Amino acid sequence: MRIRRPFELELDYVRNMMAWLLFMAPPRDVLQLGLGAGALTKWSWRFLPPTRVTAVEASAGVIAACHQWFALPPPDERLRLVCADAGEFVARPRERGRYGVVQVDVYDRDARGPVLDSLAFYRDCRRCLASPGMLVVNLFGGDHRSFTENLERIVEVFDSQVLVLPPVAAGNLVVLAFSGPPLSVDSDDLFARADYLEKQWRLPGPAWAEALRHAIPGV
């Protein structure tokens, strides 16, 4: 985080986790699983004013550190912070069908791989999505054993409606999974949306669109 710009997204992979904006307008509700330093939660709260953000973090210490050191705002009518296990949270029946987007970045301090990556976990994530909705997952690079395992599970749960962004320099790959009608995007609309994201929020929309164009039906 830059102290003078605490709400900006500084890491490449974190910016890539906002690539869902290529395909969806900001929904009423976004769910963040894993708080980290709070970057995605803060950005969504600050720059997507129609959207309510729920962030789930298992560690009370991480939540406290984000408030003290990383400019995480206090809860309000648009920001809900939940100290709970993310796997247990998405399994709650009352959370089903509630979120337009679910963002998953669940690593422990050892970062050996996602701490939640079972088929049941991804099924629960999909159940939390409205239709249409999107799941966004941060995974380690393709040479890490956890990547193939997780990607196969996401593909199974989301009926192969899955796109993968190219890896960033640190090796992270962001997976986009779609819940709803078969994905079909007009090329002109995709690149117009990409330009809008760049102008509105300084997000690398054109780079995303170029990277994904050959994998999207109709583009």
Side-chain angles (χ1 to χ4, degrees):
M1 184 188 80
R2 294 183 187 270
I3 293 174
R4 293 186 179 181
R5 296 187 302 177
F7 292 95
E8 298 292 336
L9 301 178
E10 300 296 337
L11 298 179
D12 290 340
Y13 94 84
V14 176
R15 282 194 291 269
N16 279 359
M17 291 194 72
M18 299 307 302
W20 59 265
L21 284 164
L22 268 179
F23 305 96
M24 289 181 60
R28 185 184 65 179
D29 286 281
V30 165
L31 175 61
Q32 175 67 41
L33 302 180
L35 186 59
L40 288 166
T41 299
K42 292 185 302 181
W43 193 93
S44 299
W45 176 84
R46 179 67 174 267
F47 295 110
L48 305 179
T51 300
R52 299 177 300 200
V53 184
T54 296
V56 180
E57 169 57 50
S59 170
V62 168
I63 297 173
C66 285
H67 284 307
Q68 184 171 0
W69 301 110
F70 293 98
L72 180 68
D76 60 17
E77 68 278 1
R78 291 185 48 246
L79 177 60
R80 178 169 63 135
L81 301 174
V82 181
C83 187
D85 176 83
E88 182 274 329
F89 182 87
V90 295
R92 296 176 183 177
R94 64 178 176 272
E95 303 299 332
R96 292 181 180 176
R98 180 171 180 174
Y99 303 97
V101 176
V102 176
Q103 301 174 153
V104 182
D105 192 8
V106 284
Y107 290 83
D108 62 17
R109 68 181 67 189
D110 298 317
R112 290 187 296 265
V115 296
L116 295 168
D117 62 0
S118 68
L119 202 60
F121 169 69
Y122 289 122
R123 283 174 176 154
D124 284 334
C125 286
R126 183 166 186 176
R127 291 187 184 106
C128 286
L129 288 170
S131 183
M134 289 182 65
L135 177 75
V136 186
V137 186
N138 169 40
L139 295 178
F140 283 150
D143 59 348
H144 194 279
R145 65 170 184 81
S146 66
F147 174 77
T148 300
E149 294 172 354
N150 279 270
L151 183 60
E152 288 175 349
R153 291 164 189 160
I154 295 168
V155 167
E156 178 177 342
V157 169
F158 284 84
D159 307 314
S160 299
Q161 290 209 93
V162 175
L163 300 173
V164 183
L165 284 166
V168 300
N172 304 67
L173 295 101
V174 169
V175 177
L176 308 172
F178 299 78
S179 181
L183 176 63
S184 180
V185 181
D186 177 80
S187 179
D188 290 340
D189 290 344
L190 180 71
F191 281 92
R193 180 68 177 174
D195 289 339
Y196 172 78
L197 299 184
E198 186 175 49
K199 293 173 183 175
Q200 179 73 10
W201 293 303
R202 296 198 296 271
L203 293 172
W208 294 337
E210 188 62 38
L212 296 173
R213 65 184 304 177
H214 299 299
I216 303 173
V219 175

